[in-house]
Amino acid sequence: MMMQVMLTMERLIAIILVIIPGLLSGDWKVTYEDHCALNGTSVVIKCEYDYPWANIVTSYSWSKSVYVAGEWKKFPLSQLASPPGHFRYVGDSWADCSLKVNDVQHTDEGEYFFSFVTTLNRWKSETPARLSVRELTSVVQPSTVTEGDVVNLTCVSSCHTPINIVWFRDGKRVPNPVFQAEREDAGRYYCAVLGQEMSRSASAALNVQYAPSKVALSMSPSAVKGSLVTLTCSSDANPPVTQSGYSLYKDGHFISSGQNHTISDLQPSHSGLYYCQAWNNISRGGIDLINSTEVHLEVQYRPENISISMDPPHVVEGSSVNLTCSSAANPPADNYTWYRSTGSSFSSLLQVGSGQVLSLPSVEASNTGLYLCQARNQLGENNSTEVMLAMMEKDQGCQSRQILAGIVVSVFVTLVLALLLFWLKQRNRAKEKVQRWTE
């Protein structure tokens, strides 16, 4: 009876083993795939493991192969120099052995091995899971454009390039990887994975060339006669305008080329309208040469070429006379002072009035003498040459008129006598001709 029970149990066990072989005879194995990750991203190394039935997993671990002292050795991840949380086991204790690597670095590249221990045995994978670490590469095509050209941004990687790529220019988000370039678009571009923007490519430069703009002409310092003044032309351009690309014009006429023009001895003749012209071989709307606005150079100087006019030019005692002072000055003279000389030195000058016109309503002997005027503006002053104011006496004036009248009468009588003699002479000649014909 006992023998029959035992035979029945053996047959039942055999049947169970035939029907469900995996329950008692699982394989010891670890299965995973190689992975490629972008530098700075996170990656999960997918892993599965199996073992025979009746084993209970008590521990598991990952290790990495490290080249030390001329040979490759496996080190547990806990012994590697890495920040906390860099490696994190995301599997379980019965089938999933996946490993997550956060903020992947190039030092994480290599071969990884999984091992586990059960209540009956221990197992270590012989083949590794290989992790490759690659970079995103940003490509700007073309890298140098003229303003208005189309630019195409492309992000590539030797790993499978993620679909969700975002672009940045100098740290600012770029909405569209294809655009028409403006000068403000120049800068350095890089791409990144959406949601993992810390994983980004090295930057690539975009150079946007454009014709000169904001062309300006400046002057320094103030324009005072005899001083030094520098005219400087500037512009915003890419490529920058060279020295030979600048030209300076005065009143529409070419003066010189170059960014700076210096006048060492400024004269009033240098006054006028100046503008500069800039060129860098880039056209803007078909226009190659760009002009600045005109700048008025106004040379300032103290009064000069001072002269005195007298009206009337000849005066007699008791009559009136106006002495007018005129000068060339910039700004115009705003102060005039009149002096009459009482000696041979400037200290002997007597101030007799102010204003541009000195009026003497009734000339007396005390008013005669040498007069000069002094003209002043905010830059300085200068004196005129001296003018003599002489007075003619009234009887001398009558005698002069009588003499003049006598001269006129004498000339008139002389002309009448000359004409009479000429007429008599012509008459006698006519009589002589008549007598000859009658004979």
Side-chain angles (χ1 to χ4, degrees):
M1 189 65 180
M2 184 62 70
M3 288 296 293
Q4 289 179 349
V5 173
M6 292 180 64
L7 288 173
T8 302
M9 290 295 294
E10 288 178 357
R11 290 192 185 117
L12 183 60
I13 292 172
I15 292 171
I16 293 173
L17 291 174
V18 171
I19 296 174
I20 314 175
L23 292 176
L24 297 177
S25 59
D27 294 329
W28 294 92
K29 64 179 179 180
V30 176
T31 305
Y32 32 47
E33 298 177 355
D34 294 340
H35 288 74
C36 181
L38 296 173
N39 184 36
T41 62
S42 297
V43 63
V44 175
I45 301 176
K46 294 291 186 180
C47 174
E48 294 181 354
Y49 65 110
D50 195 11
Y51 45 88
W53 182 77
N55 285 275
I56 299 175
V57 177
T58 58
S59 65
Y60 40 78
S61 65
W62 279 89
S63 61
K64 183 176 184 291
S65 182
V66 180
Y67 192 73
V68 179
E71 60 179 329
W72 290 94
K73 295 182 179 180
K74 296 176 184 177
F75 288 87
L77 298 183
S78 60
Q79 296 182 12
L80 299 180
S82 58
H86 185 64
F87 297 105
R88 187 164 67 90
Y89 186 74
V90 293
D92 51 43
S93 59
W94 54 86
D96 188 354
C97 52
S98 299
L99 175 70
K100 184 176 183 179
V101 184
N102 294 306
D103 190 18
V104 174
Q105 303 298 311
H106 285 286
T107 54
D108 295 323
E109 190 171 71
E111 297 180 343
Y112 291 79
F113 299 85
F114 179 71
S115 61
F116 61 97
V117 177
T118 70
T119 52
L120 301 177
N121 203 351
R122 64 177 60 241
W123 180 260
K124 183 183 296 183
S125 62
E126 297 297 331
T127 58
R130 293 180 176 84
L131 175 62
S132 301
V133 181
R134 298 290 182 265
E135 297 281 353
L136 285 174
T137 301
S138 57
V139 180
V140 179
Q141 295 177 318
S143 59
T144 298
V145 296
T146 300
E147 192 171 30
D149 291 347
V150 175
V151 177
N152 196 328
L153 306 177
T154 307
C155 190
V156 296
S157 170
S158 56
C159 290
H160 174 68
T161 304
I163 297 175
N164 296 325
I165 291 293
V166 290
W167 282 93
F168 296 88
R169 174 180 58 83
D170 299 331
K172 296 181 179 180
R173 181 77 176 268
V174 176
N176 196 333
V178 180
F179 56 90
Q180 196 171 30
E182 301 293 337
R183 65 190 64 187
E184 296 81 8
D185 296 321
R188 303 198 67 85
Y189 288 77
Y190 63 85
C191 57
V193 179
L194 180 64
Q196 301 185 69
E197 283 78 5
M198 294 304 296
S199 172
R200 67 186 198 184
S201 67
S203 61
L206 173 63
N207 181 26
V208 181
Q209 296 185 335
Y210 50 91
S213 64
K214 301 178 183 178
V215 182
L217 179 64
S218 61
M219 293 185 298
S220 63
S222 59
V224 177
K225 180 182 176 181
S227 65
L228 181 147
V229 68
T230 300
L231 304 173
T232 301
C233 191
S234 62
S235 67
D236 175 23
N238 186 27
V241 178
T242 62
Q243 285 291 328
S244 60
Y246 286 111
S247 299
L248 181 67
Y249 292 81
K250 174 182 179 287
D251 297 330
H253 301 288
F254 174 77
I255 298 298
S256 66
S257 61
Q259 189 172 10
N260 299 304
H261 179 78
T262 299
I263 303 173
S264 57
D265 184 16
L266 201 60
Q267 297 298 318
S269 59
H270 291 122
S271 297
L273 291 174
Y274 289 78
Y275 70 88
C276 69
Q277 200 172 69
W279 171 77
N280 70 343
N281 204 31
I282 303 293
S283 296
R284 183 178 68 183
I287 301 175
D288 294 333
L289 302 173
I290 311 299
N291 295 344
S292 71
T293 55
E294 290 183 323
V295 175
H296 186 208
L297 173 60
E298 185 178 8
V299 180
Q300 297 185 333
Y301 53 97
R302 64 180 184 174
E304 57 185 34
N305 300 326
I306 304 171
S307 61
I308 298 175
S309 61
M310 188 163 54
D311 182 32
H314 303 288
V315 295
V316 296
E317 185 177 5
S319 66
S320 64
V321 66
N322 289 329
L323 301 179
T324 303
C325 187
S326 60
S327 67
N330 187 26
D334 55 7
N335 184 279
Y336 293 91
T337 305
W338 289 91
Y339 297 91
R340 181 167 57 83
S341 177
T342 60
S344 59
S345 64
F346 189 80
S347 60
S348 63
L349 294 177
L350 176 65
Q351 182 177 342
V352 293
S354 62
Q356 191 171 5
V357 178
L358 176 65
S359 295
L360 300 177
S362 179
V363 177
E364 299 177 357
S366 59
N367 297 131
T368 60
L370 293 173
Y371 284 78
L372 66 83
C373 74
Q374 185 182 79
R376 176 193 296 273
N377 65 6
Q378 63 189 40
L379 298 177
E381 60 188 30
N382 261 326
N383 296 335
S384 70
T385 55
E386 295 177 325
V387 171
M388 172 62 75
L389 174 62
M391 184 179 63
M392 299 176 61
E393 294 181 1
K394 290 183 178 180
D395 57 343
Q396 289 179 341
C398 293
Q399 185 177 1
S400 297
R401 287 193 294 272
Q402 292 174 356
I403 294 173
L404 180 60
I407 293 173
V408 170
V409 171
S410 298
V411 171
F412 178 76
V413 171
T414 302
L415 288 174
V416 170
L417 291 175
L419 288 172
L420 181 61
L421 291 173
F422 178 77
W423 178 76
L424 291 173
K425 188 175 182 180
Q426 292 295 325
R427 183 181 178 185
N428 291 333
R429 286 181 180 177
K431 287 181 177 181
E432 290 177 357
K433 287 182 180 181
V434 172
Q435 290 177 358
R436 290 174 185 172
W437 279 104
T438 57
E439 291 176 358

